[in-house]
Amino acid sequence: MNKELNEFERFVIENKGTERPYTGEYNEHFSPGRYVCKRCSAPLYSSEHKFESHCGWPAFDDEIPGAVERVPDADSRRTEIVCANCKAHLGHVFEGEYLTEKNLRHCVNSVSMVFESADERGNYHKAE
């Protein structure tokens, strides 16, 4: 079931827009938990794969298996990433930058995700 989106969320998630660098709520967010799709709530990324890339957007060097699809971008130079479940635009993936051992950076719009914190038992809770 898809969540109702506001105008800016639709611009990014449905129209493949982007938020300005260093403005997203999760850019400098490093709490334990997971990030789920804003539109359909499918789990996308674990906080253990988030890293500081100094690019202005949240960065991850891995996704939850099967959660993210790669699509050639319209400009033929980049690779778009979308939610595998609902096809919501997340951002772009880059290889060859050597920022982590995995040599992979998922550059994701904060507005495309919702963070769920993890408790000591490994249960997830949406932030209030």
Side-chain angles (χ1 to χ4, degrees):
M1 184 166 149
N2 291 345
K3 178 187 170 203
E4 185 72 26
L5 303 174
N6 67 35
E7 184 178 345
F8 184 67
E9 292 166 343
R10 282 192 309 276
F11 166 70
V12 173
I13 293 169
E14 296 176 355
N15 299 320
K16 303 180 187 303
T18 190
E19 57 196 7
R20 290 188 336 245
Y22 303 101
T23 62
E25 122 179 67
Y26 301 126
N27 181 45
E28 295 183 11
H29 182 265
F30 292 96
S31 299
R34 69 180 177 184
Y35 298 82
V36 301
C37 178
K38 172 76 66 88
R39 184 159 66 180
C40 74
S41 300
L44 301 169
Y45 299 99
S46 170
S47 61
E48 69 185 272
H49 297 291
K50 191 169 188 304
F51 68 98
E52 178 55 69
S53 68
H54 305 286
C55 70
W57 291 272
F60 302 85
D61 68 356
D62 209 349
E63 72 266 22
I64 292 173
V68 176
E69 287 183 9
R70 290 165 176 77
V71 179
D73 206 20
D75 67 11
S76 300
R77 294 179 306 195
R78 299 180 299 173
T79 302
E80 178 189 9
I81 46 177
V82 299
C83 171
N85 185 57
C86 73
K87 309 306 182 226
H89 174 73
L90 304 173
H92 292 86
V93 64
F94 301 93
E95 297 182 58
E97 299 174 323
Y98 301 99
L99 298 173
T100 71
E101 287 184 21
K102 293 183 180 181
N103 195 23
L104 190 66
R105 175 173 59 98
H106 287 241
C107 185
V108 185
N109 291 287
S110 290
V111 73
S112 297
M113 304 180 292
V114 173
F115 178 72
E116 295 179 342
S117 62
D119 64 22
E120 309 79 43
R121 295 184 180 152
N123 298 312
Y124 294 101
H125 308 277
K126 288 188 177 162
E128 299 300 322

